[in-house]
Amino acid sequence: ARGEHEDVELLARGRHDPCVVPRAVPMVESMAALVLMDQLMAHIAQCEMFPLNLALQEPVGSASSVPAFAPDLS
């Protein structure tokens, strides 16, 4: 009947590692490589699609780079 406790033998098929720690290093390395490659591809795509026009760039700190609405703090 269903209410009785019986000893049963379980069979595990396939690969079952007792410890997953050795697999953590290659997994972290793979994810780091994927994230870095994704960022590199996004950077290259953005820079090639929208290149800077150096003739329109102004040096940082020049007087004309301050917006007209910025308060005069001097």
Side-chain angles (χ1 to χ4, degrees):
R2 281 291 219 192
E4 298 177 13
H5 297 282
E6 298 177 13
D7 290 337
V8 294
E9 183 178 337
L10 296 177
L11 297 176
R13 300 184 190 265
R15 181 179 177 148
H16 300 279
D17 293 335
C19 182
V20 296
V21 173
R23 295 181 181 270
V25 173
M27 196 167 54
V28 170
E29 287 177 349
S30 299
M31 281 308 302
L34 286 171
V35 168
L36 290 173
M37 185 55 68
D38 183 51
Q39 291 300 309
L40 179 65
M41 288 172 37
H43 176 73
I44 290 172
Q46 184 176 9
C47 290
E48 288 182 5
M49 290 176 63
F50 306 106
L52 292 177
N53 185 347
L54 295 178
L56 299 176
Q57 301 301 311
E58 297 176 0
V60 175
S62 67
S64 61
S65 67
V66 178
F69 57 85
D72 185 18
L73 300 176
S74 55

